[in-house]
Amino acid sequence: MKLITAIIREYQLDQVREGLIQAGISRITVTRASGHGNQIRMEVYRGKEIAPNLTPKMRLDVAVNDEYVDIAIDAIIKAAKSHNGHDGEVGDGKIFVTPLEQCIRIRTEERGSSAI
Amino acid sequence: MQALKLTILVTVFMKSIISISLLLFFSASSWAASLEPQIDTGATAWMLTSTALVLLMVPGLAMFYGGLVRSKNVLGTMMHSFAAMGIMTVLWVIVGYSMCFGDSVFGGWFGWNNDYLFLNGIDETIMEGGVPELVFSMFQGKFAIITPALIAGAFAERVKFKGYLIFIALWGIFVYNPLCHWVWSEDGFLFNMGANGAIDFAGGTVVHISAGVSGLVAAIYLGARRGYPLRQMRPNNLVMTMMGVGFLWVGWFGFNAGSSVSSGLSTAQALTATQVAGATGALAWALIELCHYGKATALGFASGILAGLVAVTPAAGVVQPLGAMALAVAASAVCYGALLLKNKLGYDDSLDAFGIHGVGGIVGAIMLTFFIRSSWMDNAAILAGGHWTVWDQFGVQMAAVGIAIVYAVVLTLALLWLVEKLFKFKSTDEEEMTGLDHAYHGERGYGMMNPN
């Protein structure tokens, strides 16, 4: 079992979500996040350009069984890379994969990969 | 002796000439004064207030619609209302007032009066009721703002900003202005239909039916949002929606009671009907929901307020409180049914511009016939030459509603086709997924709330 954490552009959320669903992965958690990266995001307020310190991002957490790890990663990359997955741009985000020790479904108290 | 007599004669003659000329002068000046109406400060003060109140409805609508969409579209949706304030005001000053309230041209299709261009000729005009014409013009201009802004609810979350601007400009010129001329201008053909005209006190046909029906056409023509109806699209901020409805209700007093263009008995009657209808509509909707769904929702209460207010809009000048209540209950019940039917049929009238404004407006404009106060009917009978029944008026109302619907449908279809062909109206899939805020405005509405 692995925990896949993806940091993506906010406005790519729909594409990534739909890509994951098409790949057969529909159990995800989404949170708003913000942070520093290579990207300096310029915004225009009342005609004045300002660069916010922290760039708003979306964070997806997906727990998957080992055989789904590559499928999930491919789906996220395809959807989150700028220009429809062709040419990436600074700010497209990152994916972290970490080992997942345990997974428990609260309702049934099942443990392990069947609970994912 | 002779000389003295002559002097006296001359003096008398001169005196009489002076007195006659003085008399002539005074009578002439008093005659001129009776032609030029004096300013009625009371009526003018109320009309100025009403003008401001109707404008308050536009940010109210922006909040109402803005709260109902997903968080990535909140600014884009509010901009639909605010952009109407900019574009429709400018158009109104240039040609709108002239097209609405000028003399009929092209067989009465719309009005025209060169004096009204840029409002040049009405700088010092005072109308019969003692109100400066500039105030009346600005008051009417507010209606031209809110009507296209209402349509935006039908195609929320899926149109390009540029296409929207062009669409509402054309819609205002070719749909709103002619309709307004027909219904409210003294030589409009609906104004003169039947004994005492088709009854549309404050814009049931001109504003609500035309906007609602055009919205329905646009929603079907442009197609649904991505994922609709499979995906749930939850409102991002119902708190803002509730505040928006509050603004709308307050503004509606200007909308309805201001439409008497006076400050007196008819103003009081319209104001009373407005308050009663808003309250009754809300209660009716809440009760229907309680029985049907088990819970009275806040959005339902708000929708009931709107349904009641929309239904009483054409009727505010002619119904008494009991009639206003009946109209509001009918409007809430029929609109509730219309929303259920929408879910069955599956078209994406996103924020129910047709479901509330179109349907509620039609219910109000037709059903008001049965609640007209007797003094109005008596007056109509005199104008008709002794006989005028409820069913005669019913025919007039049906005709007016039918004409407004057909005209709005045909012209809106043509404009949609044109704008989509020349400028592109519907957002691309990518823009829709990104959200209007980022795609067209480069901004975001909220801080770190509600991933959605």
Side-chain angles (χ1 to χ4, degrees):
Chain A
M1 291 182 296
K2 294 276 191 266
L3 181 66
I4 300 176
T5 303
I7 311 291
I8 58 165
R9 292 180 191 276
E10 310 176 84
Y11 56 80
Q12 304 278 47
L13 176 63
D14 268 10
Q15 267 148 304
V16 173
R17 226 161 41 82
E18 284 168 22
L20 282 171
I21 290 169
Q22 270 167 17
I25 299 160
S26 54
R27 293 162 195 184
I28 60 171
T29 307
V30 182
T31 31
R32 278 192 193 276
S34 62
H36 290 288
N38 276 341
Q39 177 199 18
I40 297 169
R41 186 166 181 268
M42 303 302 281
E43 289 195 359
V44 181
Y45 281 105
R46 291 183 177 161
K48 199 173 160 189
E49 280 202 337
I50 50 164
N53 313 337
L54 294 166
T55 310
K57 293 283 171 187
M58 286 290 180
R59 175 188 162 136
L60 275 77
D61 290 295
V62 195
V64 290
N65 288 315
D66 290 337
E67 62 268 33
Y68 272 99
V69 172
D70 286 331
I71 299 173
I73 291 172
D74 289 346
I76 293 171
I77 291 174
K78 196 169 159 234
K81 204 169 178 178
S82 290
H83 307 291
N84 291 323
H86 295 303
D87 302 303
E89 273 184 23
V90 174
D92 281 349
K94 285 218 172 65
I95 300 174
F96 309 121
V97 183
T98 42
L100 191 59
E101 199 168 301
Q102 185 60 285
C103 175
I104 304 147
R105 175 170 288 132
I106 293 174
R107 170 170 54 91
T108 56
E109 295 176 39
E110 289 167 83
R111 280 156 196 259
S113 46
S114 66
I116 279 182
Chain B
M1 222 26 214
Q2 280 276 317
L4 187 70
K5 256 190 183 167
L6 198 69
T7 332
I8 290 168
L9 250 173
V10 167
T11 322
V12 168
F13 184 66
M14 288 298 285
K15 267 187 181 165
S16 60
I17 279 185
I18 288 169
S19 61
I20 285 170
S21 58
L22 269 178
L23 198 74
L24 268 174
F25 175 75
F26 278 117
S27 63
S29 66
S30 70
W31 178 66
S34 71
L35 247 192
E36 178 74 12
Q38 293 299 304
I39 284 196
D40 178 339
T41 50
T44 305
W46 168 242
M47 289 313 293
L48 289 165
T49 313
S50 293
T51 308
L53 282 172
V54 182
L55 187 69
L56 182 68
M57 294 173 75
V58 185
L61 188 73
M63 292 171 80
F64 176 66
Y65 280 171
L68 287 175
V69 294
R70 289 165 290 171
S71 56
K72 62 184 176 184
N73 296 322
V74 60
L75 283 179
T77 304
M78 294 185 85
M79 276 296 280
H80 284 165
S81 297
F82 277 83
M85 283 203 256
I87 203 162
M88 300 318 289
T89 304
V90 171
L91 276 178
W92 183 256
V93 169
I94 301 174
V95 292
Y97 186 60
S98 182
M99 287 183 73
C100 290
F101 293 96
D103 306 319
S104 285
V105 290
F106 294 120
W109 184 23
F110 54 82
W112 192 259
N113 186 341
N114 285 332
D115 274 358
Y116 292 168
L117 221 59
F118 291 98
L119 306 183
N120 268 335
I122 62 168
D123 206 30
E124 292 177 351
T125 318
I126 297 162
M127 299 175 70
E128 260 175 56
V131 177
E133 195 166 350
L134 278 177
V135 178
F136 177 72
S137 171
M138 281 296 104
F139 176 70
Q140 288 292 344
K142 303 296 153 65
F143 288 64
I145 293 172
I146 197 158
T147 311
L150 286 172
I151 306 177
F155 48 60
E157 304 193 284
R158 60 179 182 286
V159 293
K160 288 176 188 290
F161 188 59
K162 199 174 81 182
Y164 171 77
L165 293 182
I166 296 164
F167 175 74
I168 61 165
L170 292 174
W171 193 89
I173 292 171
F174 291 108
V175 183
Y176 182 82
N177 290 351
L179 271 175
C180 177
H181 180 75
W182 299 349
V183 175
W184 284 331
S185 179
E186 273 167 29
D187 55 358
F189 78 95
L190 294 176
F191 187 84
N192 295 309
M193 192 183 246
N196 199 6
I199 299 174
D200 186 2
F201 188 72
T205 42
V206 181
V207 176
H208 295 291
I209 296 179
S210 71
V213 169
S214 300
L216 177 67
V217 171
I220 294 172
Y221 184 88
L222 294 173
R225 290 167 288 180
R226 281 185 87 255
Y228 181 89
L230 260 171
R231 235 186 101 184
Q232 246 199 341
M233 307 209 188
R234 260 178 271 139
N236 78 80
N237 188 351
L238 280 178
V239 176
M240 189 160 75
T241 296
M242 297 301 285
M243 290 193 289
V245 172
F247 278 142
L248 281 169
W249 194 344
V250 172
W252 226 292
F253 289 118
F255 200 87
N256 281 1
S259 287
S260 63
V261 199
S262 62
S263 179
L265 203 57
S266 58
T267 321
Q269 291 165 341
L271 183 132
T272 309
T274 305
Q275 173 66 21
V276 169
T280 316
L283 271 185
W285 196 295
L287 286 175
I288 294 169
E289 254 188 353
L290 262 179
C291 298
H292 181 239
Y293 167 65
K295 285 178 184 172
T297 62
L299 180 57
F301 198 86
S303 306
I305 292 174
L306 285 187
L309 290 170
V310 166
V312 87
T313 297
V318 295
V319 297
Q320 288 181 296
L322 188 63
M325 283 177 169
L327 285 180
V329 171
S332 276
V334 178
C335 289
Y336 190 84
L339 300 201
L340 294 180
L341 192 66
K342 177 192 88 167
N343 294 335
K344 286 249 159 61
L345 295 176
Y347 63 88
D348 187 10
D349 175 7
S350 316
L351 312 180
D352 296 312
F354 176 72
I356 304 278
H357 295 277
V359 174
I362 293 169
V363 168
I366 292 174
M367 289 222 2
L368 71 85
T369 320
F370 306 107
F371 303 101
I372 300 173
R373 59 163 59 82
S374 53
S375 58
W376 194 94
M377 288 306 286
D378 295 343
N379 185 32
I382 295 167
L383 289 170
H387 187 68
W388 190 255
T389 65
V390 166
W391 293 106
D392 292 332
Q393 187 62 35
F394 184 76
V396 172
Q397 295 301 114
M398 290 290 280
V401 169
I403 289 165
I405 291 176
V406 171
Y407 184 74
V409 167
V410 173
L411 266 277
T412 304
L413 264 180
L415 293 179
L416 284 166
W417 177 82
L418 189 78
V419 175
E420 179 73 42
K421 262 272 177 303
L422 292 180
F423 307 99
K424 291 270 173 270
F425 197 10
K426 177 104 192 266
S427 303
T428 62
D429 278 357
E430 288 76 43
E431 287 167 338
E432 213 179 301
M433 280 191 272
T434 304
L436 309 185
D437 296 6
H438 183 83
Y440 306 132
H441 306 291
E443 293 167 304
R444 55 210 314 278
Y446 295 107
M448 307 300 291
M449 301 152 65
N450 311 335
N452 179 340

